[in-house]
Amino acid sequence: PTPFPTPTSGSNTDTTLPPISDLTGEILFEEQFDSNQNGWNIGEETDEFGRYKSEIVDGRYRLSHQAERDVFIWEEPGVPDFYDFVLSVDAIPVEYSAPFAYGLVFRSGADQKLYTFGIDSDGFFIVNYLENGKWETLVDSTETTGIKTDGPNRLTVAALGSTLSFFIKDEEAIT
């Protein structure tokens, strides 16, 4: 069992989130990528899964991966975990030759749990949960016209208690 209910289409009657454009409040974390003050992983590495390179270039964090097989990688800054938040990232695929996916990792921590909200190069989104090395799909791969397959895409997760809402380019995908 997951610690949060499986998301369903439509609004949740327990907790209603305002439209993403109406959200206000304290900024808990903001990254301009003008330095590496938050401890993002920078460098190159090669292992049995492929070659990785992560760097800060022109005010952007760039993560490159040449995969040898299917693999899920992510990077996290050195900041505290937040439980209730709105997380938004503008992501732009720079170059690719094979189908791929990218997205957000959230509510991750030392307890071996995390959530992912991802989109892929074929125009689908998916929501997954990982606990103790076991993946569970919370929202099956769903096609949407809201994804710009050659980027950029603004991906947003709004988390308030057990309510998780997902947005692609500021349009709600699912709650």
Side-chain angles (χ1 to χ4, degrees):
T2 62
F4 301 101
T6 301
T8 58
S9 295
S11 62
N12 183 321
T13 56
D14 295 334
T15 308
T16 302
L17 293 169
I20 196 75
S21 59
D22 293 344
L23 293 173
T24 60
E26 176 187 1
I27 294 176
L28 302 174
F29 176 75
E30 183 175 28
E31 179 66 80
Q32 297 299 320
F33 293 114
D34 52 3
S35 70
N36 194 17
Q37 69 184 20
N38 291 305
W40 292 87
N41 184 37
I42 301 294
E44 297 183 39
E45 182 180 335
T46 301
D47 62 20
E48 69 271 18
F49 297 104
R51 293 184 320 168
Y52 312 86
K53 182 177 181 181
S54 50
E55 58 190 337
I56 295 175
V57 178
D58 298 327
R60 293 185 169 110
Y61 185 74
R62 181 178 292 169
L63 177 62
S64 304
H65 181 243
Q66 186 174 6
E68 296 295 326
R69 56 182 153 164
D70 288 344
V71 65
F72 176 79
I73 60 171
W74 71 93
E75 298 294 339
E76 297 179 275
V79 298
D81 292 325
F82 302 105
Y83 189 76
D84 291 332
F85 60 86
V86 175
L87 169 63
S88 187
V89 172
D90 291 329
I92 304 168
V94 177
E95 58 183 71
Y96 57 93
S97 59
F100 71 98
Y102 61 97
L104 301 174
V105 173
F106 60 99
R107 285 191 176 161
S108 63
D111 60 0
Q112 303 290 314
K113 299 175 187 177
L114 62 82
Y115 291 84
T116 66
F117 171 45
I119 63 174
D120 69 25
S121 56
D122 293 325
F124 288 78
F125 73 89
I126 191 167
V127 179
N128 292 303
Y129 174 68
L130 175 67
E131 182 175 12
N132 297 320
K134 183 178 177 198
W135 286 99
E136 181 178 345
T137 299
L138 299 180
V139 177
D140 286 325
S141 186
T142 304
E143 189 170 17
T144 177
T145 58
I147 297 170
K148 187 171 181 180
T149 56
D150 57 355
N153 287 289
R154 173 171 290 147
L155 304 178
T156 303
V157 173
L160 181 59
S162 63
T163 300
L164 303 175
S165 297
F166 304 92
F167 301 81
I168 301 168
K169 296 190 304 192
D170 297 333
E171 296 294 323
E172 186 171 12
I174 196 163
T175 295

